[in-house]
Every structure is written in C-alpha cells, then in structure tokens.
Amino acid sequence: MGGVGFAVSGRRGDDPTQYPGKLTWYVVMTLMAAAMGGLIFGYDIGISGGVTSMAPFLEKFFPSVYHKQMDDTSTNQYCKFDSQILTLFTSSLYLAALVASFFASTMTKKFGRRKSMMFGGIIFLVGAIINAAAVHISMLIIGRVLLGIGVGFANQSVPLYLSEMSPYNYRGTFNVCFQLMITIGILVANLFNYFFAKIEGGWGWRLSLGLAGVPAIIIIISSFFLSDTPNSLVDRGREEEAKTLLKRIRGVENIDAEFNDILAASNEAKLLQNPWQNIFKRRCYRPQLVMSIMIPFFQQLTGINVIMFYAPVLFKTIGFGSDASLMSAVITGVINVLATCVSIGFADRLGRRTLFLEGGVQMLIFQIAVAALIGVKFGVTGDVTELPKWFAIVVVICICFYVAGFAWSWGPLGWLYPSEIFSLEIRSAGQSVNVAVNMFFTFLVAQIFLVMLCRMKFGLFIFFAFFVIVMTSFCYFLMPETKNIPIEEMTQIWRDHWFWKRFMDDDHVNGANEMTRIEQV
Ligand code: BGC
C-alpha cells in the first residue's frame, strides 16, 4: 500500500507505471459529462452583470435605481452606477452557495458525489424557471437563492468527482475541464446578453435568466448516466462495485495497487467519525486546512471578478459606447476560454507550481499597467469627458493579458489544487471550506467593488496587485507540487515540505493513525 512506496523511493507518483491502466473512452466521456457542472456556475457569473444593465429589467424590478441612473449627470467616471440593492441581487447567489456547500459536504460523503451533482442540477433548474417567470422582486430573489444552492452543490461535488475519477497522471487535464466549462458558461452568457438586450419589447432578460435551465438539464441528464467514483463507493462499503468500476475506467484487469490504496485510505477514514473535528486538528490536517482557506481567498483577491461582473461598466467608464462595451466583454470572455485550454495541456506537464508562478507574474504586470493607464488619464478626480480611442484599446489589450494570466493559473488551479490535496476522510469537508471561502469572497468583491472604485480610484488595481504579490510568494514558498501524485498518496507532499513537515507525524500515512493512538492511550 501507499506508505511503503514512499519510504523507499520517494513518491509513487514519480513512477507513471505504478498504477497500471490506460485512458479509456469510458472515463473520458464520464469526465467530460461531469465537467459540465461548471457550466451553471459560469453562466451565472456571466449573466447577472448584463441583465442588471438592461433598462427594462431595471425599470421593472429596481425603479429607483433606474431613475437614479437616468438622472445621473456627473462626469466623475469612478463613482457611477453604485447601487447596493442591485449588487445584493447579484451577490445573494454567492451567499446561498456558501451555506449550501456545507450541506453538500454531508450529502457528497454519505450518498456519493453523483447524487450531489444531480441534486444541484435539479434545484438550479427550479431557480432558473422561477427567475424567468418573475413578476415580482421576491421571485427574483427566491430564484437566485435556489440557483446559489445548485451552484454550492455542483462546485462541492464536481471537482472532487473529477479528481477521484481521473487517472492520476491526467488529473490536472480533466479537472481543468471544470474551469473550461465555467469559462464557456461565462462567454455564452455574455453573448446571450448582447443579443437579448436588443429584443424589442424589453423581455430579453427573461430569456437570459431562463436559459440557465439548459446547462442544468445537461447536468441532470448526465448525472443519471454517471457512475460514482471508486473512492466514494469504497468509502460507502461497496467494494466489489468499486473494483468492477476501476477495471472498466482504467481498462485493465490489474487494478490492485490503486484499489488497495483507496481501501487503505477508506479504512483510515472510518476511524475518524467526524471530519469536521479533524479538519481543525493541528497535526496532519493543518496544511490542508490552510490551503482550503488561502487558495480560494487568493483566487478571488486576484480581482478577476471585477472584470467578469463589471467588464461592461468598466469599459463604459474608459470611454466605450454601450454596444462596444458589451462587445469588449465578449472579447475578454473568448480570451478566458482560449487561455484555459493552455492549462488543460500543461497542468500535468509543467506542473501546478509553474503555472501558478507564471500566471501571478503576468497578472501583476498587467494590473500595474492598467492602474498606470487609468491613473494617468483619469487622475484622482475621475473627471473626464472624452478619451482617445487608442487609450481604450490599449486598456482592453492589457485586460486581455491579465485575464489570460488568470485563466491558465489561478482560475483552473484554484479548483484543481484543493480538490486533490485532502485525505479521503476530510475530502468532502475540505472541499466545502474551499467552496464557502470562494463564495464569500466572490460575494464581497461583487458587493464592494463599486464603492471601492469610487473611493480608491485607479488605486483599486494596485490593491489587487498587492495581493497578487502576496499569493505568488505564498505559492513559491508554501505550495508543494501535486502533479503526477496519486490522490490517496498526497499526504506525503506535506511530509517532504520544508515548512509543512512540522505538522506531520513521521510514522504513518495520515491523521487516522493519530486518532488510533489517542484512542489506545
Ligand atoms: C472563479 C470565478 C471566476 C471565473 C472566471 C473561476 O475559477 O472561481 O470566480 O469568475 O473563474 O473564469
């Protein structure tokens, strides 16, 4: 089993022949179907910014905001469009997802990853229908909360599903497909908004909100056909089924090495009844807990959602007309999708650390460039009436480079890395912490961005750049590489690490042994 392999020759994962198997069509199709779970999250990120800038939508549900915007004659570009109620509508989804992710943890562990995905899809579908039919603001909010619950369940279960189901040396590739679906969801939503805003009669927003049901249906149908992961099956006592499945997904008869590692992890997991108590233990679990909090925190503090939520507003601010602003948001959306594909190709080859570090440096350079450009042209007063075309184009190009940097680093790896580092006994709980922290900071950025822009002006980009420096240093010093290491052998990376090894016991595989010892005492 796992522990023996490390002791002698370093990590098992360094030896790609350790777990026999090949990439089967069955596993590829299964993983592609599961990755669709990212679509609902992405669609939501992309849709709300555009819908809340459609005049008929505002007039119907937020008349005071609508009239305020109509009457706004100020030339201060930094302080436009500020409405807490409107942003609360957008961000209520993330609060709901935050709470839901904790319930999802229990469901994912007890009933399996697949049921959580299916449940998430169904709740999301109901939310989309209520939103599309909304005649009152309460329907909008209820719908939005249901969408949030769906996202909470999907984001909790899908990355785990992908990481457990993938052959370990392709885990990066397949897990990044989750992010690819997020970016496709964002892009499709931006395109829909662009076209639906033009529909005469002003009911385009109903289509924008209602079509969220399509990705939900895709997930519900695909999760019907998916099998659960071998790890989850073993964890729930269905060992024979897990063996048969492993043979099918790995395409070989000899799956003993992998099966035994999963079984060992599961046996250790059974000694620990309450994952929530254990995840907070200093010994063994501290590095995992720190990562599950810091990674989503840093991912959001890159400032990416300023672009994802507010690109049209931002582009309007720098002098584009309404149509051109929406079009530029579509351009950044395309870059986001294309750059994510780079990560699909390289996460397992170059490794996570290289991408994290390169992405960080790239984001930093272009954030500072955007801050300098806006600072020079807008100054601290923000009073500008006309801006040259070249200026707007250069800003859009810089933003595209920044988005690309995020899209091949913190975007996909922010979901991949946490989903692969937890030991089985706390995996589901750890992933909930990851989702909850992510949602909390997504909420916070959505909620306070416009206030911050008004107060900090171009300094806002320096604020995010500061965090990019912190997170890149954090990666450099504190993030061990996880590429090519089987998921149930991951605890070894902490034991080998100059800093984290102080939290690990030397004589066992993971925290379960600590519990055993405590019980014996
Ligand atoms: C993040 C989202 C972000 C998206 C952009 C995701 O990984 O979690 O907050 O909007 O990437 O592509």
Side-chain angles (χ1 to χ4, degrees):
M1 64 149 255
V4 180
F6 309 132
V8 186
S9 60
R11 290 182 198 111
R12 260 193 163 166
D14 293 340
D15 173 10
T17 58
Q18 196 68 46
Y19 286 165
K22 47 189 185 236
L23 199 55
T24 58
W25 271 110
Y26 180 74
V27 87
V28 173
M29 299 313 287
T30 302
L31 291 167
M32 294 318 284
M36 295 283 176
L39 279 178
I40 60 174
F41 182 40
Y43 192 83
D44 269 309
I45 294 168
I47 211 72
S48 44
V51 168
T52 51
S53 62
M54 291 181 193
F57 175 84
L58 281 182
E59 207 179 350
K60 188 169 174 64
F61 296 107
F62 301 91
S64 61
V65 179
Y66 174 72
H67 292 298
K68 206 172 142 220
Q69 281 189 12
M70 288 288 122
D71 301 340
D72 183 13
T73 50
S74 114
T75 51
N76 182 344
Q77 302 291 337
Y78 290 130
C79 297
K80 295 195 153 212
F81 308 113
D82 184 6
S83 160
Q84 290 293 308
I85 314 171
L86 195 57
T87 41
L88 192 61
F89 159 73
T90 303
S91 48
S92 57
L93 183 148
Y94 301 99
L95 283 185
L98 188 167
V99 177
S101 67
F102 290 106
F103 292 98
S105 158
T106 311
M107 181 147 172
T108 305
K109 182 156 176 60
K110 282 219 172 104
F111 302 105
R113 284 61 171 139
R114 188 178 76 94
K115 291 239 169 71
S116 275
M117 286 191 244
M118 193 185 288
F119 181 77
I122 294 171
I123 296 286
F124 193 91
L125 180 60
V126 177
I129 295 170
I130 294 181
N131 263 350
V135 287
H136 189 263
I137 188 161
S138 58
M139 284 177 84
L140 273 189
I141 303 284
I142 293 172
R144 201 83 192 134
V145 167
L146 292 178
L147 296 184
I149 297 176
V151 167
F153 272 79
N155 285 21
Q156 203 275 345
S157 50
V158 174
L160 290 190
Y161 185 95
L162 296 172
S163 279
E164 290 182 343
M165 201 74 165
S166 310
Y168 68 91
N169 45 347
Y170 288 97
R171 196 174 55 238
T173 301
F174 287 112
N175 201 296
V176 174
C177 290
F178 175 67
Q179 174 72 11
L180 183 67
M181 291 301 158
I182 296 179
T183 59
I184 291 176
I186 297 175
L187 177 62
V188 169
N190 281 336
L191 282 168
F192 281 179
N193 277 339
Y194 181 73
F195 291 111
F196 296 159
K198 298 178 199 281
I199 291 182
E200 288 198 14
W203 51 273
W205 61 268
R206 287 196 191 275
L207 273 181
S208 290
L209 295 180
L211 282 171
V214 175
I217 292 171
I218 297 179
I219 294 159
I220 299 169
I221 295 178
S222 18
S223 51
F224 248 111
F225 296 103
L226 296 178
S227 41
D228 224 317
T229 67
N231 316 53
S232 174
L233 288 172
V234 171
D235 206 27
R236 290 180 289 134
R238 290 154 63 176
E239 288 162 20
E240 282 315 306
E241 245 176 276
K243 262 190 186 162
T244 318
L245 177 66
L246 264 180
K247 288 180 188 160
R248 186 157 182 212
I249 59 179
R250 302 292 178 244
V252 286
E253 280 302 303
N254 177 12
I255 42 82
D256 293 348
E258 186 168 0
F259 180 78
N260 289 339
D261 276 357
I262 297 175
L263 195 60
S266 166
N267 287 338
E268 281 158 14
K270 285 194 181 113
L271 293 171
L272 302 176
Q273 279 314 312
N274 186 347
W276 287 109
Q277 257 167 24
N278 289 292
I279 199 170
F280 292 109
K281 283 209 166 77
R282 182 176 188 278
R283 204 109 200 102
C284 301
Y285 297 109
R286 187 52 45 87
Q288 305 180 29
L289 180 66
V290 169
M291 292 296 164
S292 71
I293 295 171
M294 295 316 285
I295 291 177
F297 166 75
F298 283 144
Q299 194 206 46
Q300 291 307 313
L301 267 287
T302 55
I304 188 67
N305 280 327
V306 164
I307 308 297
M308 294 303 139
F309 295 148
Y310 297 112
V313 175
L314 208 67
F315 290 134
K316 237 187 226 169
T317 304
I318 59 171
F320 282 178
S322 232
D323 219 37
S325 300
L326 281 175
M327 207 52 216
S328 317
V330 171
I331 294 173
T332 50
V334 171
I335 299 287
N336 196 15
V337 174
L338 295 180
T340 305
C341 297
V342 172
S343 206
I344 294 186
F346 286 113
D348 287 320
R349 275 189 243 166
L350 295 178
R352 297 20 166 184
R353 278 175 59 84
T354 312
L355 290 176
F356 267 129
L357 296 175
E358 194 284 334
V361 173
Q362 184 169 330
M363 281 190 287
L364 180 65
I365 294 171
F366 289 98
Q367 262 165 337
I368 292 176
V370 171
L373 282 163
I374 297 189
V376 166
K377 278 283 166 200
F378 288 69
V380 281
T381 59
D383 279 329
V384 184
T385 38
E386 219 169 296
L387 284 162
K389 191 135 202 91
W390 69 261
F391 172 82
I393 292 173
V394 174
V395 174
V396 172
I397 292 175
C398 286
I399 289 181
C400 284
F401 273 103
Y402 158 76
V403 169
F406 175 88
W408 58 58
S409 64
W410 280 91
L413 305 184
W415 292 105
L416 164 64
Y417 198 86
S419 77
E420 60 186 7
I421 55 168
F422 301 121
S423 350
L424 182 63
E425 64 273 17
I426 57 154
R427 192 168 296 150
S428 194
Q431 179 66 359
S432 296
V433 175
N434 175 39
V435 175
V437 175
N438 196 307
M439 294 301 141
F440 178 72
F441 285 100
T442 308
F443 162 78
L444 209 64
V445 170
Q447 199 62 35
I448 64 174
F449 163 70
L450 292 175
V451 180
M452 284 172 84
L453 182 65
C454 186
R455 300 258 159 86
M456 298 174 77
K457 307 179 169 69
F458 60 89
L460 180 60
F461 296 94
I462 305 281
F463 169 84
F464 287 122
F466 164 77
F467 280 100
V468 173
I469 296 177
V470 177
M471 67 188 75
T472 308
S473 316
F474 179 89
C475 286
Y476 185 78
F477 292 110
L478 294 174
M479 276 168 81
E481 181 57 68
T482 53
K483 134 185 129 157
N484 281 350
I485 301 172
I487 193 163
E488 303 304 355
E489 300 195 346
M490 205 56 86
T491 43
Q492 186 65 17
I493 61 173
W494 315 114
R495 208 163 288 121
D496 289 345
H497 192 269
W498 70 272
F499 179 76
W500 297 117
K501 66 178 174 205
R502 71 195 67 191
F503 296 98
M504 309 303 288
D505 282 345
D506 292 321
D507 56 342
H508 57 252
V509 175
N510 64 30
N513 296 324
E514 183 194 9
M515 281 297 287
T516 324
R517 235 192 9 240
I518 292 166
E519 275 158 17
Q520 282 163 357
V521 172

